[in-house]
Each structure stands twice: as C-alpha cells, then as structure tokens.
Amino acid sequence: MATSAPVTPGDTPGTRAKLVLGQPTFKTVNEDIASIVESKPTPKYLLGLMFAASILLVMVGSLVKLVYSGVGVWGLDNTVFWAWDITGFVFWIGIGHAGTLISAILFLFRQKWRTSINRAAEAMTIFAVMAAGIYPAFHVGRVWLLYWVFPVPNQMSMWPNFKSPLLWDVFAVSTYATVSILFWYLGLVPDLATIRDRAKTKLRYLIYGILSLGWRGSHRGWLSYEKAYLILAGLSTPLVLSVHTVVSFDFATSVVPGWHTTIFPPYFVAGAIFSGFAMVITLMIVARKVLGLEHMITIRHLENMSKIILATGSMVGYAYAIEFFIAWYGAVEYERYAFLNRMFGPYWWAYWSMVSCNVIFPQLFWFKKVRTSIPALFAISIVVNIGMWFERFVIIVTSLHRDYIPSSWTYFTPSIWDISLFVGTFGLFLTMFLLFCKFLPVIAASEVKGVMPQADPHGDDHHGKDEEAHAHG
Amino acid sequence: MSAAKKPPKGDGLLPKELVESWSKIGYGLGALGVAAFAAGMLGADQARFGAAYLVGFMFTTTIAVGALFFVVIQHLTKAGWSVAPRRIMEWLSQGLIASAVLFVPLVVMAPKIWHHWMGEHAAHDQVLVQKQGYLNQPFFYARAIVFLVVWALLATWFYKLSREQDSTGDRKLSDKLQVAAAPSIAALGLTISFAGFDWVMSLDPHWYSTIFGVYIFAGCLLSSHAMLALCIVRLRKDNIGGNLLTVEHQHDVGKFLFGFVVFWAYIGFSQFMLIFYANIPEETVWYLHRWNHGWHVVSMGLFLLHFIAPFLMLLSRTAKRDPRLLAAGAGLLLFMHWVDLYWLVMPNFDEHFHFQWVDIAGLLAPVGVTAAWLSKRVLADPVYPLKDPYIPEALKAENL
C-alpha cells in the first residue's frame, strides 16, 4: 500500500501535471478543435453514423408498434406493472448526471481538468435526457395527450396528481433538461464564434454567426459571460442532486418492500454519477482516439474520472450494505424476505450481476495500473453501465414480482419490444452524439485556453524554484 | 510572484499571550467540565444526565470526526487552497483522542442510557429478540472500541506526518498521506455510520432508517466547518497566518459551510419526507415523539434555525467574507448542531420537552475535557503546515 507508486511526470505533491500535453499555443488549440468541425466527414465517421442511425430506426419502429398496439406489447403484467420501461428511464437519466456534475460542481470546486471533458459530457447529458424522456412520454399510452402531464388550466378542472412523485419527475426532469441545455449553450457561444470567425464558406459563416448570438469576445462580453456561467453553475448544483432524488421518490415513497427505504435519495444520486462517469469514459476513450484529441483528453483526465467512479461506486456499495443490514435490523419480515429474495430468489442472477459489476469490478480502480490502462478503463466503464442497468432492474422487478398474495407472484420476462426499444434508445443517443461531434466543438476551446500556462496573468507556473525558496524560507 | 504572495514570516507559532489566555480558557473549561460531570453523576436523575452526556459526547465527537474527514479528503483530492486552514482541522481532529476517554462514562451509564435493549425486558420483546445478534452488550462495546481506536489512530497519524513535514519539508510525506487517504475515507464513512446506528439510533431500538448514518455524518461535516469558520475568524482578527490565511480561505470555508447546511437539510428532508409519505406506523412513531408534548417547538426550531436562517445568512458573498456575519452564522449552526443531537437523543428519555440544567452539565463535561486536552495538545504547534508543498497554491487562492 505505502510503496510510492510511479507517478505521471509532473504530478507530484506541489506540482500539477500539465492539462494539455505537448507544446500547445492558443492557435493550435483552436486549430485542433475547430478543424473537426471544418473538415469533411471521413468514411469511418459516416459508417459509424449510419450504424447509429439504423439502431435509431429500431427505436422508431418499436415506438410505432407501441403506439399502434398499445403498452400491452411489453412484457408487463398486473404484478410487474413496471419493468424495462422505468428501468430504461432511470438508466438514461442517471447517465446524464455526470455532465451536470462536471460542468457545475467541478467548476465550483475549481477543478481545472474538467475543461477538456465538460462540453462532451454536457452534450451527453442532454442526449441521455432525451433518451430517458422517450419512456414516460410513450408509456402514457396516448402520446399525443402527453401535455396532460402539465398542469394546464382546462374547463373540466382536470389536474395532474400533485401528490404523485411521477408528476414531480415531470418538473424535475424538465427543469434539468432546460438548465442543462442553457448551460451547455452558454458555454458553446464563444467557441461557436471562433468557428464563425474562421469560416471559409458563406453558409458556415451564416449558421455559426446566428448560433453565436453576436459574440464579439469583448471585455464586457467576457465579464457578463463569466458571471452568468458562475450563476448557472450555482443553480445547476442542486439539480445534480434533485433530479435523481425525485426519481428515487418514485419508488421510496411507496410501501413496497425493497422500495421504501430512506437512503434512496443520496444512494440514487451516487449511482447516477457513477453510471454517468462510466459513460463519459466510454465515449471519451473512443472520441479522443478518433478525433485525435489525446493531448487534451489525457490519461490523467481518464484517471481522475476513474477515481470518481471508485468513490461513487463505493458509495453505492455502502448503500447496498446498509440497506441489507437495516432490512435485517428492522426485523420486518417483508423487508427481510425482499432482500433475501433478491439475492437467492428467481432473479439471483440479476442481483449478483449488479453486485459484481457495480461493487466488485470498480475496486480494480484502487490500482494505478488499472486506472491508467485504456483497455481496462474501457472494459470497466462498460461493466459499470451494465451493472447500473441491472441495479434498476433488480430494484424494480424483484420488488414487484413477489406481491403480497402468493397467488399473484409472477416471473417477468421482457417481450421483444421491450428489448428493441431499449436497444433503440442507444441509437438515438449515439446518433445525437455523433452529430454533435461533427457539427459542434467537442472541447470547450475557450476554457481549455484559460487553464493553459499562457493564460496565467502572473506567469508563475514554474513552480520548482519558487517552492524551494519557500521550503527553506 | 509578487512580493505580497510570500508565506508568513517566522515559525508560525501562536503569540505567547494568546497561548496563555487560550490555555487558561481551555483548562478553565476543563475544570468546569469535571465539576459539571461530578454534579451530574451525583444528581438525582442519572438517566437524564446520561442522556445529556451522550448529547455532549456526540457533540464533541462529531466535530472531531468531521475535522478528521476534512483533513483526509484534502489529501485525497490533493487540494491546494486548503493547506491554509488544514492545520486548524488537524487540531480539532485531536479531540478524538479525548473522545476515546470520554466514552468511558458512557460505558458506566450504558444500562441507563440504552436501557430499552440493554434492560431485562428486552428478552421479552419479540422484535428485540430478533436483533440480539447485533444489539448485545459485548458486540456493542467491541464495535465502540473499534470506532474510537480507528479514529484516534487516524487523527494521530495524519497529524504526526503533517508535523513531521513542518520540520523536514519532505514531499514524500505528502505522497504517503495521499495514498493513505483513500482507505481512511472508507474507514471513516463506515465507522461514523455504525457509530450513529449504535449510539443514537439504537436508543429507540425498534426504529430504523437506512439514511441515519448519513444524517449523523452530515452533522459532522456541518459542525466541523462551523468550528473551522469560527477559528479562522478569530485567528484572522489578530492577523495570525498573515497572507496565507486570507479572506479567500475564509470565503471558501464559508462556501463549504453553506453547502453543508443544504446537505444536512437534504438528508434530513429525505428521511422525513419518505417516512411521512409512506406513513408506516413503525416509522412515523419516531417523528411523533419529536412532535407531541412540546417537542414540535424543537422540531420547528431545527427547520428554521438549522436550515432556513443559516441558508439565508450564508447565501451572499458578502456574508462569507465578513468576519462578523460568518461568525454569526457559524455560531448559530454550532449551537443548532447541539440542538439537533438533543432532538435525536432526548425524546427517548422524556416524552415532554423540558429543558433541565443537567442538559447543560452533560454538554459541559465533554466540551470542557476536550477543550483542556486540545489546549495541552495543540496550542504550542504552528498554526499552518509550515513546509507543505502546496503552500504556493494556497497563497494564490482567489474567489473571482
């Protein structure tokens, strides 16, 4: 344990590793990022896009079938009235959380390394929320009446049920989506202006000119911008907690054994951040390679994210343990049964998949070798996302499938439409992400420039000598 | 680097007069604490004193655990800004050594305090019989020993290495501390949760709540940062720490304090809302005990003065940078932390809300002993880590 592990050059106590490797100048940073938008798409990219879009078509097809035939096409029954639908919803909403955490909380904590990954993570958040939104939107059955979820004044005085956590979800998720989009867009403005200024074609100049809202990069502009950014960061910070808290209320306010437990809110939030960072790692590993951004999204960025995964994964493990302990300690037979049934009942395979993916495998991140190995990071990030899907499935289905009356006990199996819709949402997510990579700056160029040594007004980033002086002073 | 950004000159020690006067206060409190303890033990209602003492013990212990958590997480995250205030938290965490001793009276009074499950009638209680595997005296004390020893060892070790660096300036010490920080955080999280279950939640042994450990932990974070804010304001008043402990660090600590006010409220609300909404009698009874017979005043007081008032007080930038406003908020929170613990413990002993003088005695005893111990242990040491490699960064900390 105590043996001093080999450290990345420069990352020793008192000295920070460089955030952008090589010999970058402001110009090369612009160049590296804007050229992705300006160059013609490669055949590989088009192939990828076509692949993603075909999965998206699977989603469209599943939805057409769903609307045409009704929710009955899913594998639900009277006992297990919620399964892959809400699992998919919570899965995607959870994934979104890394974006908000990186953009809001890490910003407030002055974590400068966030600048290379925040843009893509924020974009991912928005696409994940879109994928999540598909589920409740179509689960209402008549999707064209979806606006009924909002408290729209009407002649019949028909209101949504304000006491229902599902309605709180409507407010929580729509607020989250709105603020995430605002935050993302605000950050994009200076970079969009950069692309506008570099534009070689009229059309590009026009489109990015409109999108950049007349940004001129003036002193006054930057002053207002920084203030707005800070305020939005402050406002989004509670959102990191509130959205998944309300999602956890969907379950925890009920009296279903396995659902009603007070630790749910922070436990869900930790799980959401856990899965979100896993998805960011998965996407970033591919993106940095394909787009040639390895000097900006460095191994150290990935390593930091893997540490957050280890931390939040341990919190999730803590919650599993405490839930289990209190189920026993509480001495309520239904609770005790629910948890034993999770582990050893008909869905034992789901429970143990969840535990191994979420608690056991992430422990490998205790080792620096694993944290800095791209294949290991990639594999574990995917394992974590599988595990987090299982977590929601375990909570939802194993708690429901044993009803209070044994005659209503069932065993849920998904229908082909359950599966196709879930697979299809990946199509939506990936298509959107690929389009984002091509048409918008993937990395926040203006922010990256801000954390480079050249941007330090004191120009005293050469620690070594100064520090020695202090050490002996 | 401009001339203003040099660490303070000298040995970083507190001025002699201050050490003297603060020691006097510390030892004075200690004497008062011992007297209060004697009076409480000789008093008529020993169960009440036991409960009050438990509140006081939890008060000093949670502050110290929170302080230790702060120290450890700064190493874990390799934080730069926090080098300036870190030593104060290292000092506060030394209270855990006093806590290990202060637990002894709890052992003596245990049958009166945890009488619901330690008493004879527990054997005839259908629910408690099922919990005997956990709620039995040998295991209870064994766990307590583990918690207290782990805390005291961690507090000692993290402080020892930090002091070593004061003289050697060896960067390898920072490496060591950083490596040890991660498992230490895990140990702290588990021990404080189960200490919360054992010492507070089991006072009402039928009741259970999975978030309870997190609630106690939130109290640790909040109270220790409140204490830190008060210390910073006091030190800065005499310009101790010079340009290393600036208004910027005070501001940052204020932000954390504000954040933890919300975190505490979030955890408290999560517990309350879910129990209220599901409305299961086994669970709601706990809140009923904290509402009926006058306790609603304390419950509402917690909501208003532990959350609403400090939230509004600490929200603005001005408040966090103004020493008086920040101290007012921190002082209020520290007091409310005691009220919070009182609210957790006391309704188990008294259905009616009655404030009694022994409640103060129960607080004074652990606070006095801890204060005296800290005076002896830390006041002669430098007030910031003299040669921490992150000092240049701490000097640069700025809130734009």
Side-chain angles (χ1 to χ4, degrees), chain A residues 51 135 169 195 209 237 295:
Chain A
F51 174 71
Y135 282 100
D169 262 345
I195 296 179
T237 297
H295 58 300

Side-chain angles (χ1 to χ4, degrees), chain B residues 295-364:
Chain B
W295 280 105
H296 67 280
V297 177
V298 186
S299 295
M300 284 314 286
L302 273 182
F303 172 65
L304 294 174
L305 297 177
H306 202 310
F307 175 53
I308 300 290
F311 178 89
L312 297 174
M313 282 169 82
L314 296 172
L315 182 59
S316 90
R317 176 187 167 93
T318 318
K320 282 170 279 215
R321 294 175 83 88
D322 182 303
R324 269 169 305 180
L325 287 175
L326 179 66
L332 172 68
L333 282 168
L334 212 51
F335 172 70
M336 288 315 292
H337 179 56
W338 176 71
V339 175
D340 184 22
L341 292 166
Y342 188 88
W343 175 83
L344 291 174
V345 170
M346 221 39 108
N348 297 306
F349 295 88
D350 193 348
E351 276 198 342
H352 299 262
F353 170 53
H354 290 128
F355 185 75
Q356 293 182 18
W357 74 267
V358 282
D359 298 346
I360 292 293
L363 175 68
L364 267 181

Side-chain angles (χ1 to χ4, degrees), chain B residues 62-306:
Chain B
T62 46
I63 293 174
V65 168
L68 179 58
F69 183 84
F70 177 93
V71 173
V72 176
I73 205 163
Q74 303 312 324
H75 291 301
L76 182 65
T77 54
K78 304 181 183 170
W81 74 277
S82 62
V83 171
R86 199 185 71 217
R87 179 55 53 84
I88 303 169
M89 286 302 226
E90 286 171 350
W91 284 359
L92 291 175
S93 73
Q94 299 309 300
L96 287 168
I97 296 156
S99 290
V101 178
L102 286 167
F103 192 77
V104 175
L106 282 177
V107 176
V108 177
M109 295 186 280
K112 291 207 174 73
I113 299 175
W114 293 281
H115 63 95
H116 283 296
W117 63 268
M118 284 190 182
E120 279 169 19
H121 50 271
H124 310 293
D125 185 315
Q126 275 201 330
V127 175
L128 294 186
V129 168
Q130 296 184 60
K131 302 189 184 190
Q132 269 174 356
Y134 186 80
L135 288 183
N136 62 69
Q137 295 203 36
F139 193 22
F140 175 82
Y141 294 126
R143 287 194 304 268
I145 291 172
V146 171
F147 305 150
L148 294 163
V149 168
V150 166
W151 295 341
L153 284 181
L154 285 178
T156 311
W157 189 79
F158 274 88
Y159 188 45
K160 194 182 135 231
L161 262 67
S162 178
R163 287 283 291 123
E164 225 173 285
Q165 201 173 42
D166 281 354
S167 47
T168 63
D170 186 0
R171 280 159 202 234
K172 288 217 179 86
L173 290 169
S174 294
D175 269 330
K176 255 188 176 174
L177 288 161
Q178 285 169 2
V179 169
S184 305
I185 284 278
L188 274 177
L190 282 174
T191 46
I192 189 63
S193 304
F194 280 91
F197 292 144
D198 282 11
W199 300 342
V200 184
M201 195 170 89
S202 85
L203 289 169
D204 184 349
H206 281 203
W207 188 76
Y208 53 89
S209 169
T210 41
I211 207 174
F212 197 81
V214 186
Y215 185 80
I216 294 288
F217 177 63
C220 294
L221 292 173
L222 186 59
S223 57
S224 57
H225 281 77
M227 215 36 215
L228 176 61
L230 287 177
C231 294
I232 290 180
V233 168
R234 179 63 192 83
L235 289 174
R236 277 178 36 76
K237 194 181 150 204
D238 284 0
N239 197 25
I240 298 164
N243 53 9
L244 180 60
L245 194 60
T246 64
V247 70
E248 304 299 338
H249 304 99
Q250 176 191 318
H251 187 172
D252 279 339
V253 170
K255 286 188 214 166
F256 273 111
L257 188 61
F258 174 77
F260 290 134
V261 167
V262 183
F263 183 66
W264 174 87
Y266 166 65
I267 299 297
F269 173 75
S270 296
Q271 176 170 278
F272 171 75
M273 212 286 288
L274 292 176
I275 287 175
F276 159 81
Y277 198 113
N279 204 11
I280 299 172
E282 286 91 330
E283 295 179 351
T284 49
V285 66
W286 194 82
Y287 281 103
L288 271 184
H289 286 157
R290 281 153 186 79
W291 192 258
N292 293 339
H293 307 300
W295 280 105
H296 67 280
V297 177
V298 186
S299 295
M300 284 314 286
L302 273 182
F303 172 65
L304 294 174
L305 297 177
H306 202 310

Side-chain angles (χ1 to χ4, degrees), chain A residues 97-140:
Chain A
H97 278 63
T100 336
L101 187 104
I102 292 171
S103 46
I105 295 189
L106 293 190
F107 177 74
L108 294 184
F109 281 3
R110 300 197 282 258
Q111 294 297 303
K112 292 179 174 176
W113 60 277
R114 71 185 258 296
T115 51
S116 298
I117 48 167
N118 67 340
R119 171 73 42 77
E122 286 168 34
M124 183 205 77
T125 294
I126 295 161
F127 308 144
V129 173
M130 285 166 64
I134 298 283
Y135 282 100
F138 282 86
H139 200 174
V140 298

Side-chain angles (χ1 to χ4, degrees), chain A residues 1 303 306 310 362-373:
Chain A
M1 203 66 249
E303 192 194 348
S306 70
L310 177 59
Q363 301 306 320
L364 289 170
F365 283 151
W366 282 97
F367 304 102
K368 191 167 179 101
K369 271 220 173 104
V370 180
R371 292 200 302 265
T372 49
S373 143

